[in-house]
Amino acid sequence: MDDFYIYTDHMSVGYNGRPLIRDIEIKVRRGEILTLIGPNGAGKSTILKSMTRQLALLGGTVYLEQKNMQGMSDKELSRRLSVVMTERIQPELMTCEDVVAAGRYPYTGRLGILSDNDRKVVRESMELVHALDLRDCDFTQISDGQRQRILLAKAICQEPEIIILDEPTSFLDIRHKLELLAILKKLVCKKQIAVIMSLHELDLAQKVSDMVICVHGDKIDKYGTPEEIFTDSYIRTLYGLTSGSYNADFGCLEMERPHGKPEIFVIGGNGSGIAQYRRLARSGIPFAAGILHKNDIDYKVAKALAEEVIAEEPFELIRDQTYQSALVVMKSCHQVLCCLQEFGTLNQKNRELLEAAERAELKAETL
Amino acid sequence: MKHKAYIRYQISFLLLMILLAVLFFWNINSGSIHLSLSEVYNIIVHRTGGETAYNIIWEIRLPRILAAIILGGALSVSGFLLQTFFNNPIAGPFVLGISSGAKLVVSLVMIYLLGKGLVAGSQVLILAAFAGSMISMGFILLISRKVKSMSMLVIGGVMIGYICSAITDFVVTFADDSNIVNLHDWSMGSFSGMSWENISVMAGAVFTALAITFLMSKPIGAYQLGEVYARNMGVNIRVFRVQLILLSSILSACVTAFAGPISFVGIAVPHLIKSLLKTAKPILVIPACFLGGAVFCLFCDMIARTVFAPTELSISSVTAVFGAPVVIYALFTKNARRANIG
């Protein structure tokens, strides 16, 4: 346990003395990002609030550098740990600089007057989050994205060894989500700070985290690297997906597939089919997709959306057997949609399929 | 930008002090007997002059002015603390029923003691008012746990105020005739009839509470960012909340004990001061609120005793005339609009 900056030993958390999640083991090194994922109401915030002493622990211990956190004074803890929480704050008549400067609280004297060094740290923190130009703006007047950056600057200004963030990217647009996480990542490397946060954006969690913890109902369901956690089937179980599906490689969600006998046969491959699959699914038209290699980018989306997918093994020429089964499915549809402009060696059979469709006087359309 | 802000702070404080000085002289000079500036100067500094004039200045006008300054300042600082505590721009000792609670207990104590042929001393009055404030405060805290909406909290406070006032009226009605006159004047709110003993006790209590409040500027500032962040910055929230409640109750109890319930000062003055300074930093707002409250009450008291002289208005009617529009304005400004959201 020596190299972990923060770790918990059989931590139990909950409200009003009733444990919600028991035996939580969380370990983070300096310079690492640990992300909590899990469905709404699973208890991510409860864990974070307990680790920041906003909520009393219901069992177990939290150690910061081998020291029991419960025994630390408020002042000592505030110099080690800072937070960015979801509570909306509306401070009256405070500029962004005032908000960031509030982070110097543990370091200033009785009346809280800032020294030259304090001012320097405030300035550096604001530069780090690219918000120096906001210094004189009223905090209540800025956008959500700017607000999160200012709150992060406040957390940095506290010169902590660990920052705990509760859903820091919620309500932000994609640009600001990326920007905030990029700043965080840079900060972690540069200052060797440990970070624990909760995220709803699985795609981002997968890319930014060193370790991921999955919180599910009354337990920690899984704890591992993003590679171990982010598989299609696990995420589906964790979030209890019933309609639609999650694609862990792309980090994207697909809507529910239209059920029924396929009406349209889509010939695709190499990414050409994805837009059509989604269009048909959106219109509620059941369709079949083929002939796709299992390593084709279209294959994953077709798998999620098409009623039937005729596929070939990776890197193989399309075999006659596969072609024949595609032909049967195609002839049961009343329309064929070809998304391919050109055919190569591996998918010559798709050209034959299109020609067969024209011969059979199926309504064939090439996009 | 920083430089500009500092100039603004300096000018604001200078302005408040000049206003205070001007109103001080104006007040000491207005009334049934008119005195020249040099006469006033001689009476105050050299303690010479005609006996009547001397007595009017030293026994009537000066104690009254000092009471208006000390109590006005205390009231607006108390309002500022309550606004911070409840994160509600329209909170104040009067609106939340805290003044009325103090009034109720003070009248009960007064009537009880008068019935025994005793007159309540300054300390007894303060203690009674403090007990009353804490009772109302207890109810307000219970309400604030149940309701999260700021306007509901204020409505709850107003109701507590009405209940306390109704009981006070009831008690006063059944008190001995001889007691009523005294009690009636006081329960309407007035800075008149202060003795030097009153002044020294109120000054002791108010200035002690103010000094402690000023030393708490730093945690109050952190608390303005909300409980979560304040705790993360190392503020012991539980202790801090108790301190804030005790201080605001002591300050408003002093006012009610000596001058009766005074409306609107607690909301209007902090609002005006924050608009003047363009900041809510407690280290600046607390002293400025004290000065502002003093100026506001001196001004209102002068109007109360001069406009319809020799009839005196109750101080609350005057503070309401000038304070209520400010509160209404505060309700419509951007910062206050969030009062209705939560």
Side-chain angles (χ1 to χ4, degrees), chain A residues 49 54 83 85 87, chain B residues 225-233 237:
Chain A
K49 280 182 186 158
Q54 308 278 351
V83 300
M85 287 292 167
E87 277 80 3
Chain B
L225 280 178
E227 212 178 296
V228 171
Y229 289 106
R231 186 179 282 138
N232 178 238
M233 285 180 258
I237 293 291

Side-chain angles (χ1 to χ4, degrees), chain B residues 196-251:
Chain B
W196 280 100
E197 189 258 352
N198 288 156
I199 298 288
S200 60
V201 172
M202 78 171 74
V206 167
F207 286 122
T208 310
L210 280 174
I212 298 172
T213 309
F214 185 73
L215 288 175
M216 282 177 63
S217 301
K218 188 180 161 184
I220 293 172
Y223 195 78
Q224 286 172 332
L225 280 178
E227 212 178 296
V228 171
Y229 289 106
R231 186 179 282 138
N232 178 238
M233 285 180 258
V235 180
N236 186 331
I237 293 291
R238 200 171 294 174
V239 174
F240 173 77
R241 286 171 72 104
V242 172
Q243 286 172 329
L244 215 59
I245 286 177
L246 288 179
L247 283 172
S248 63
S249 298
I250 290 170
L251 288 172

Side-chain angles (χ1 to χ4, degrees), chain A residues 349-366:
Chain A
K349 292 278 186 206
N350 272 332
R351 183 203 296 273
E352 291 174 25
L353 207 57
L354 182 64
E355 285 163 4
E358 278 158 3
R359 276 199 306 276
E361 291 182 354
L362 278 167
K363 201 176 141 204
E365 192 183 341
T366 301

Side-chain angles (χ1 to χ4, degrees), chain A residues 158-321:
Chain A
Q158 222 168 310
E159 297 188 312
E161 289 156 347
I162 177 167
I163 301 185
I164 293 188
L165 307 96
D166 195 3
E167 294 178 22
T169 50
S170 300
F171 308 113
L172 303 192
D173 64 31
I174 47 172
R175 175 191 148 191
H176 289 110
K177 278 187 210 288
L178 284 174
E179 223 170 70
L180 192 85
L181 291 178
I183 292 167
L184 200 60
K185 194 82 197 166
K186 206 165 83 187
L187 177 78
V188 165
C189 298
K190 195 172 150 195
K191 304 213 165 183
Q192 286 295 300
I193 294 176
V195 167
I196 300 179
M197 66 176 163
S198 62
L199 280 184
H200 273 305
E201 295 83 356
L202 297 179
D203 49 337
L204 294 173
Q206 187 175 10
K207 286 152 203 163
V208 80
S209 324
D210 296 296
M211 292 299 276
V212 179
I213 283 187
C214 308
V215 188
H216 188 295
D218 54 353
K219 61 181 194 298
I220 298 299
D221 203 52
K222 210 168 171 179
Y223 185 4
T225 59
E227 293 71 33
E228 291 165 337
I229 303 286
F230 290 97
T231 63
D232 298 2
S233 60
Y234 180 66
I235 295 295
R236 188 168 62 236
T237 329
L238 177 65
Y239 283 89
L241 291 188
T242 47
S243 62
S245 60
Y246 181 76
N247 182 323
D249 294 334
F250 302 159
C252 73
L253 290 165
E254 296 299 346
M255 300 294 284
E256 200 172 3
R257 93 182 63 187
H259 290 287
K261 189 179 160 300
E263 292 175 19
I264 298 180
F265 190 93
V266 186
I267 299 171
N270 197 23
S272 65
I274 294 177
Q276 293 306 317
Y277 304 151
R278 289 188 178 147
R279 181 180 67 82
L280 292 170
R282 193 168 65 229
S283 322
I285 302 168
F287 65 94
I291 301 169
L292 297 170
H293 284 93
K294 284 184 180 164
N295 58 342
D296 196 294
I297 188 172
D298 283 6
Y299 178 72
K300 289 229 161 201
V301 183
K303 255 311 206 204
L305 297 177
E307 184 67 24
E308 206 165 337
V309 182
I310 294 93
E312 185 53 84
E313 293 306 314
F315 308 115
E316 293 288 344
L317 282 168
I318 295 170
R319 286 167 293 191
D320 201 47
Q321 187 190 350

Side-chain angles (χ1 to χ4, degrees), chain A residues 5-6 36 40 65 73 93 100-101 124 144 146 167 188 197 245 254 272 275 289 303-304 309 312 325 339 344 354-355:
Chain A
Y5 178 73
I6 185 169
L36 275 68
N40 284 335
E65 276 187 327
S73 69
L93 294 170
V100 176
E124 282 168 1
D144 286 338
Q146 293 168 332
E167 294 178 22
V188 165
M197 66 176 163
S245 60
E254 296 299 346
S272 65
K303 255 311 206 204
V309 182
E312 185 53 84
S325 53
C339 309
L354 182 64
E355 285 163 4

